[in-house]
Amino acid sequence: MRIDGLQYANWSEKIFRQLREGGVDAVHVTIAYHENFRETVLNFEHWNRWFEQYPDLIMKGLGVDDIDTARATGRTAVFFGFQNPSPIEDDIGLVEIVHSLGARFMQLTYNNQSLLATGCYEAEDAGLTRMGKQVVREMNRVGLVVDMSHSADRSTIEAAEWSERPIAITHANPHDWAPALRNKRDAVIRAVTENGGMFGFSVYPYHLKGKSGCTLEDFCEMIARAAERYGPEHLGIGTDLCQDQPDSVVEWMRVGRWTKQIDYGEGSKSDPGFPPMPLWFQDNRHFGNIEVGLRATGLNETEVAGIMGDNWYRFFSESFAPSTKREEFGSGN
Amino acid sequence: MRIDGLQYANWSEKIFRQLREGGVDAVHVTIAYHENFRETVLNFEHWNRWFEQYPDLIMKGLGVDDIDTARATGRTAVFFGFQNPSPIEDDIGLVEIVHSLGARFMQLTYNNQSLLATGCYEAEDAGLTRMGKQVVREMNRVGLVVDMSHSADRSTIEAAEWSERPIAITHANPHDWAPALRNKRDAVIRAVTENGGMFGFSVYPYHLKGKSGCTLEDFCEMIARAAERYGPEHLGIGTDLCQDQPDSVVEWMRVGRWTKQIDYGEGSKSDPGFPPMPLWFQDNRHFGNIEVGLRATGLNETEVAGIMGDNWYRFFSESFAPSTKREEFGSGN
């Protein structure tokens, strides 16, 4: 089983076919960065049309049953997520609404301060806000996973501890391996995994040691070391593949509507676009390379299978259904 | 089993308890008249909060499994509908979106011309529009029932014939029994029922012979005659109970934002509000009266059980799931 914990491609029949060629059974796709609720609905609609257009390649993913169906019918199950809480605006009631529409992951922040928490590019990290605490509880209730990939350290640790269900960092790498601002320090990864959460390793070149020149061996050795440190069962892949996107989309991701100036994020004025992907992971067809690389590190078959997909499968199975815990209505925190 | 094909009450714990006292296993409730999509989302949210607040009385209804669960746990399953296509605005993609959010019925018109068809108060009825035909097909595909309760004759007959799945008139009575503008002529009821659809009898006084003074015997005799004419298996109850609503809501229903003048609909300047309900159906606790009245007409037990709920149950079971018919994408009509 192969599951990718995050992609944001410029989707097309070509990429859907590459998902099949790479044997990707399920993928979490970003459908919103800075879109408000109404704009996000249009993105759901866009995916609904793709599911109609390419019923032999992809299908909507709401629960792990859909991964089973996808595998049985040779398709990829697509699970939706947001990289920012913009789609819920300032309304906690929209958490259940977006879950009904199929959202299964939501980042509490995308680099900047949000209404809920602090992003990893802010100078000060005040942790979860009042609304943030309420929204995490509501996400727990309906089955929307808290994703802290772009959040700051304190906010992430607080989210891992405050959340009643395991959370995720869907796409990042350890900071002590590649010191990008977006990569995660030991205490952060520990807080997430010790609370039952998942950490997905990114192939986005700015998160790799040596960037686009990072070798498969280096990448997989890093994963093997993380398995020793955090337990292999908490690890997965979250490639952050942003295939075929024009630079205008990189700009939307980084700048949204929050500034009138250009913010280059991890890029620079001379290098504003997406960096080239490493040779061993050009697109979804290369998923098998990672599996081969992981075996070569000495991880055993169960561990490799876990990291390639079984761990996400287990996490999905525990995360997307409404909580069975009966809440007293109105018992706030 | 007791199922009500339409209510629009000013919902409260009191009314939810009355649903239970009346043994109502499922009810189709109106959650939008003239609300646009964004406003309708707030109405979904409002119901989500009620489901949280009153988990022992009500639960969200998406399919007949939910009616089974509701019966097994002593609750009422609530199914959502719109009395007008305002929530989908001018976007066919919103049909699947509102279905994902739980909508199961949508009227193509509410008295006036809509983007889809003609309402029963218009002078001219041009039938289904271009968009109307496309939207009916999309409603068929996703499992959203076409409801023509407030539509004009030609539009209704065309919808019954154009739709690939049975449609409904959830709440009205035969025009030859009570000649209200909203009641339905024989050819209209015939078109709906002969195509497998359902007709729900209304207790709204303006649709009754003798209005608020209509007797239970008269009402049930009318149903028995309709059973002879259209077949008892196509008939149900759709009370149109609008309990505890202030006159401002009647005005919203009739006037929305489409005119700056007051339209009194079936009322008048001297009588602008809701008329008093007949003594034998004051609220949901009186559901049993209709059952007793139907038995007294000589209808047999199977027929009575069908009209009280089994027929809606069968119709719901066939109507709310996505179509299994595989469409060629882009094959328009």
Side-chain angles (χ1 to χ4, degrees):
Chain A
M1 171 143 31
R2 291 177 185 165
I3 298 178
D4 195 346
L6 192 119
Q7 292 195 20
Y8 180 63
N10 186 6
W11 301 100
S12 63
E13 180 173 353
K14 179 188 85 176
I15 300 180
F16 296 142
R17 291 196 181 282
Q18 290 176 348
L19 281 167
R20 299 312 314 136
E21 289 179 54
V24 181
D25 299 302
V27 57
H28 161 211
V29 305
T30 293
I31 67 164
Y33 282 93
H34 306 284
E35 287 89 340
N36 66 17
F37 175 73
R38 194 63 184 79
E39 293 165 333
T40 302
V41 168
L42 297 176
N43 297 345
F44 279 109
E45 290 184 33
H46 208 142
W47 273 101
N48 284 341
R49 291 295 83 74
W50 279 323
F51 294 131
E52 262 194 276
Q53 278 181 285
Y54 305 109
D56 299 326
L57 300 174
I58 54 171
M59 57 177 280
K60 191 171 178 175
L62 298 175
V64 286
D65 290 356
D66 296 309
I67 303 180
D68 300 338
T69 303
R71 283 165 63 84
T73 55
R75 292 181 285 174
T76 300
V78 176
F79 293 81
F80 298 141
F82 311 144
Q83 296 227 12
N84 206 22
S86 307
I88 67 161
E89 302 177 0
D90 60 358
D91 179 359
I92 197 170
L94 287 174
V95 171
E96 186 166 358
I97 295 292
V98 299
H99 185 269
S100 293
L101 290 174
R104 292 295 179 265
F105 289 89
M106 183 171 81
Q107 290 190 40
L108 299 193
T109 69
Y110 186 79
N111 298 346
N112 289 3
Q113 178 70 40
S114 75
L115 295 179
L116 311 181
T118 304
C120 60
Y121 280 31
E122 293 285 0
E124 297 289 334
D125 176 7
L128 289 184
T129 66
R130 298 178 75 207
M131 185 180 178
K133 289 184 180 181
Q134 296 293 320
V135 166
V136 168
R137 283 280 190 269
E138 180 70 356
M139 292 171 75
N140 291 161
R141 187 180 72 83
V142 304
L144 184 62
V145 173
V146 174
D147 183 354
M148 298 302 276
S149 297
H150 285 257
S151 300
D153 291 1
R154 176 180 164 190
S155 288
T156 306
I157 293 168
E158 285 187 16
E161 290 171 353
W162 174 259
S163 178
E164 293 174 336
R165 300 173 82 167
I167 74 167
I169 290 171
T170 57
H171 58 301
N173 290 320
H175 189 270
D176 56 18
W177 177 70
L181 196 49
R182 264 267 284 109
N183 280 341
K184 302 303 176 190
R185 288 184 169 75
D186 178 66
V188 171
I189 304 175
R190 214 170 273 285
V192 170
T193 55
E194 285 179 355
N195 284 286
M198 282 284 293
F199 190 90
F201 296 99
S202 163
V203 194
Y204 187 64
Y206 286 134
H207 304 157
L208 298 176
K209 182 161 78 174
K211 301 212 169 71
S212 302
C214 177
T215 66
L216 176 62
E217 291 66 30
D218 262 4
F219 179 73
C220 292
E221 271 305 316
M222 174 272 291
I223 295 177
R225 296 294 78 74
E228 290 168 1
R229 208 186 280 186
Y230 308 111
E233 68 276 19
H234 297 295
L235 308 180
I237 304 296
T239 60
D240 204 5
L241 180 66
C242 295
Q243 193 180 346
D244 294 348
Q245 295 285 17
D247 287 355
S248 60
V249 167
V250 195
E251 190 176 316
W252 168 248
M253 290 162 55
R254 291 172 178 164
V255 174
R257 285 179 289 245
W258 65 270
T259 173
K260 295 188 290 182
Q261 297 175 348
I262 297 297
D263 180 85
Y264 292 106
E266 289 164 314
S268 61
K269 188 168 182 177
S270 62
D271 207 0
F274 282 111
M277 294 295 284
L279 287 176
W280 46 271
F281 197 86
Q282 292 284 300
D283 59 50
N284 281 290
R285 291 171 295 183
H286 284 167
F287 245 83
N289 288 344
I290 299 175
E291 197 165 324
V292 171
L294 288 175
R295 283 206 189 93
T297 64
L299 287 166
N300 69 38
E301 278 305 303
T302 307
E303 291 165 340
V304 171
I307 294 165
M308 291 305 297
D310 289 354
N311 295 339
W312 277 127
Y313 184 91
R314 184 198 67 242
F315 183 80
F316 285 20
S317 76
E318 296 164 352
S319 299
F320 297 157
S323 170
T324 51
K325 182 181 161 195
R326 177 80 163 266
E327 296 277 355
E328 271 309 299
F329 189 82
S331 69
N333 283 283
Chain B
M1 172 145 27
R2 290 178 185 164
I3 298 178
D4 195 346
L6 191 119
Q7 292 194 20
Y8 180 63
N10 186 5
W11 301 101
S12 63
E13 180 173 353
K14 179 188 84 176
I15 300 180
F16 297 142
R17 291 198 180 281
Q18 290 175 348
L19 281 167
R20 299 312 314 137
E21 290 179 53
V24 181
D25 299 302
V27 57
H28 160 212
V29 306
T30 293
I31 68 164
Y33 281 92
H34 306 284
E35 287 89 342
N36 67 17
F37 175 73
R38 193 62 183 79
E39 293 164 333
T40 302
V41 168
L42 297 176
N43 297 345
F44 280 109
E45 290 183 33
H46 208 143
W47 273 100
N48 285 340
R49 289 297 81 74
W50 278 325
F51 293 131
E52 263 194 277
Q53 278 182 284
Y54 304 109
D56 298 326
L57 299 174
I58 54 170
M59 58 176 279
K60 191 169 178 176
L62 297 175
V64 285
D65 290 357
D66 296 308
I67 303 180
D68 300 339
T69 302
R71 284 164 63 83
T73 54
R75 292 182 285 173
T76 301
V78 176
F79 292 81
F80 298 141
F82 311 143
Q83 295 228 12
N84 206 23
S86 308
I88 67 161
E89 302 177 357
D90 59 359
D91 178 0
I92 196 169
L94 287 174
V95 172
E96 186 165 358
I97 295 291
V98 298
H99 185 269
S100 294
L101 290 174
R104 291 295 179 264
F105 289 89
M106 184 170 80
Q107 290 191 40
L108 300 193
T109 69
Y110 186 78
N111 299 345
N112 289 2
Q113 179 69 40
S114 76
L115 295 178
L116 311 180
T118 304
C120 61
Y121 279 31
E122 293 285 359
E124 298 288 334
D125 177 6
L128 289 185
T129 66
R130 299 178 75 207
M131 185 180 178
K133 290 184 179 181
Q134 296 292 322
V135 166
V136 167
R137 285 279 190 271
E138 179 71 355
M139 292 171 75
N140 291 161
R141 186 181 73 83
V142 304
L144 184 62
V145 173
V146 174
D147 183 354
M148 298 302 275
S149 296
H150 285 256
S151 299
D153 291 2
R154 177 180 164 190
S155 288
T156 306
I157 292 168
E158 285 187 17
E161 290 172 353
W162 174 258
S163 177
E164 292 174 336
R165 300 174 82 168
I167 72 168
I169 291 172
T170 56
H171 58 302
N173 289 320
H175 189 270
D176 55 18
W177 178 70
L181 196 49
R182 263 266 283 110
N183 280 340
K184 303 305 176 188
R185 288 186 170 73
D186 177 67
V188 171
I189 304 176
R190 213 170 275 287
V192 171
T193 55
E194 284 180 355
N195 284 287
M198 281 286 292
F199 189 89
F201 296 99
S202 162
V203 193
Y204 187 63
Y206 287 132
H207 304 157
L208 299 177
K209 184 161 77 175
K211 300 206 169 72
S212 302
C214 177
T215 66
L216 176 62
E217 291 67 30
D218 262 5
F219 180 72
C220 291
E221 269 306 316
M222 174 272 289
I223 295 178
R225 296 294 77 74
E228 289 168 3
R229 209 187 277 185
Y230 308 111
E233 68 276 19
H234 296 296
L235 308 180
I237 304 296
T239 61
D240 205 4
L241 180 66
C242 295
Q243 194 181 343
D244 295 347
Q245 295 285 16
D247 288 356
S248 61
V249 167
V250 194
E251 193 178 314
W252 168 248
M253 289 161 56
R254 290 171 178 163
V255 175
R257 285 179 287 245
W258 66 269
T259 172
K260 296 187 292 183
Q261 298 174 347
I262 298 296
D263 180 86
Y264 293 105
E266 290 164 312
S268 62
K269 189 169 181 176
S270 62
D271 206 1
F274 282 111
M277 294 294 283
L279 287 175
W280 47 271
F281 198 85
Q282 291 284 300
D283 59 50
N284 281 290
R285 290 172 296 183
H286 284 166
F287 245 83
N289 288 343
I290 299 175
E291 195 164 327
V292 170
L294 289 175
R295 283 205 189 94
T297 65
L299 286 166
N300 69 38
E301 277 306 302
T302 306
E303 291 165 341
V304 171
I307 294 165
M308 291 305 297
D310 288 355
N311 294 339
W312 278 127
Y313 184 91
R314 183 198 67 240
F315 183 79
F316 285 20
S317 75
E318 296 164 351
S319 299
F320 297 157
S323 170
T324 51
K325 182 182 160 192
R326 176 80 164 266
E327 296 277 356
E328 270 309 300
F329 189 81
S331 70
N333 283 281

